[in-house]
Amino acid sequence: MFKARMKFAKEGRAKYISHLDLMHTMQRAMARCQMPLWFTEGFNQHAYVSVALPLSTGYSGEWELLDFNLLSDGVPPHAVERLNAVFPEGLRALEIYPLADGGMPLRDIAWSRYRITWTLANDINLNAFAADVAALFARDTVEIVKRSKRGEKTVNMRELMRDLSLTVSGQTVVAEVVTAAGNNNMSPEYLTRAIAQYLPQYPIIGAAYHRLCVYNDKMQAFR
């Protein structure tokens, strides 16, 4: 059994594929291009495919990671090209490599970099909005109720984010920000919620989220 990892992009219409459907799509695509997937033994056989830090439905990303096992002794020739030939629109394999070739353990994932695009009404002064958002997240404390499977708790989201930058573009404001991932995950959506809570004079009419990179705790790009 050979352990491999694929870096892929999930963009365009594909961002609406749910996590479960993404797993099915990956397995069907690998079957179509005759990738020698390893299946578990026993009565209910299934292929081992696992996405690290799955995106929420509606999010796009270009640093997505899929671990899978193969029956071959290595990555098949032209595996990226063969997969891209059968992938649906919006999914794109970028790289496939052996986990033994420097692949990091999933437990080391600590941060994600996102691009957030906020759309506001035409009568909103976007430069004033960007300045007030920058001032908000420059505070030492920005408390918000964070929801998880364990319930709700109030957290200081400033401890779970870093490196915020803002750019005005047309009728949108584009933010890049690094947020906590892994066991201490904070969705970039909480920035939008915090703006609604602390800056209600700026109603956001649309928000799009795109993951640009994933890091370990030393801010090294995860691979």
Side-chain angles (χ1 to χ4, degrees):
M1 183 175 65
F2 178 80
K3 297 180 181 294
R5 177 170 290 163
M6 174 171 63
K7 186 172 85 169
F8 67 98
K10 183 186 180 191
E11 301 168 316
R13 295 171 60 188
K15 70 181 183 179
Y16 298 110
I17 300 175
S18 70
H19 175 58
L20 182 59
D21 286 341
L22 178 64
M23 295 296 91
H24 294 157
T25 300
M26 288 294 182
Q27 291 183 53
R28 287 195 296 267
M30 289 183 179
R32 288 183 64 190
C33 71
Q34 299 182 330
M35 193 83 70
L37 270 180
W38 176 85
F39 282 77
T40 61
E41 299 179 356
F43 180 76
N44 185 25
Q45 297 183 357
H46 61 276
Y48 171 78
V49 289
S50 176
V51 170
L53 208 64
L55 286 170
S56 298
T57 304
Y59 285 34
S60 59
E62 59 191 73
W63 205 282
E64 309 314 298
L65 302 162
L66 177 86
D67 287 359
F68 57 100
N69 296 335
L70 296 172
L71 293 172
S72 57
D73 295 329
V75 178
H78 311 294
V80 169
E81 293 83 358
R82 288 164 57 189
L83 270 174
N84 284 334
V86 298
F87 268 160
E89 178 186 346
L91 286 182
R92 180 165 46 95
L94 301 172
E95 181 185 9
I96 299 177
Y97 51 90
L99 276 180
D101 184 22
M104 300 176 179
L106 299 183
R107 64 177 179 273
D108 287 353
I109 292 177
W111 300 95
S112 293
R113 181 180 297 277
Y114 285 94
R115 181 175 65 236
I116 309 171
T117 304
W118 289 304
T119 304
L120 292 94
N122 291 333
D123 59 345
I124 298 295
N125 184 323
L126 297 189
N127 290 310
F129 169 78
D132 287 348
V133 169
L136 170 63
F137 293 117
R139 300 179 189 177
D140 292 333
T141 302
V142 181
E143 290 189 334
I144 197 164
V145 176
K146 187 171 180 286
R147 299 177 179 86
S148 69
K149 293 179 180 179
R150 299 177 182 177
E152 297 182 350
K153 65 176 181 179
T154 300
V155 299
N156 177 12
M157 61 185 297
R158 285 292 291 112
E159 298 174 350
L160 303 175
M161 58 179 285
R162 58 198 297 180
D163 301 341
L164 174 68
S165 65
L166 297 156
T167 304
V168 176
S169 177
Q171 200 53 38
T172 65
V173 173
V174 179
E176 277 198 21
V177 64
V178 175
T179 64
N183 293 331
N184 204 21
N185 181 66
M186 187 183 77
S187 166
E189 196 170 336
Y190 280 98
L191 276 78
T192 305
R193 295 182 185 181
I195 292 169
Q197 176 179 325
Y198 288 92
L199 301 171
Q201 69 271 33
Y202 297 113
I204 294 172
I205 61 177
Y209 306 94
H210 179 85
R211 184 154 58 198
L212 296 165
C213 194
V214 178
Y215 305 97
N216 63 12
D217 60 356
K218 297 179 181 177
M219 289 303 293
Q220 296 170 324
F222 190 90
R223 74 177 305 276

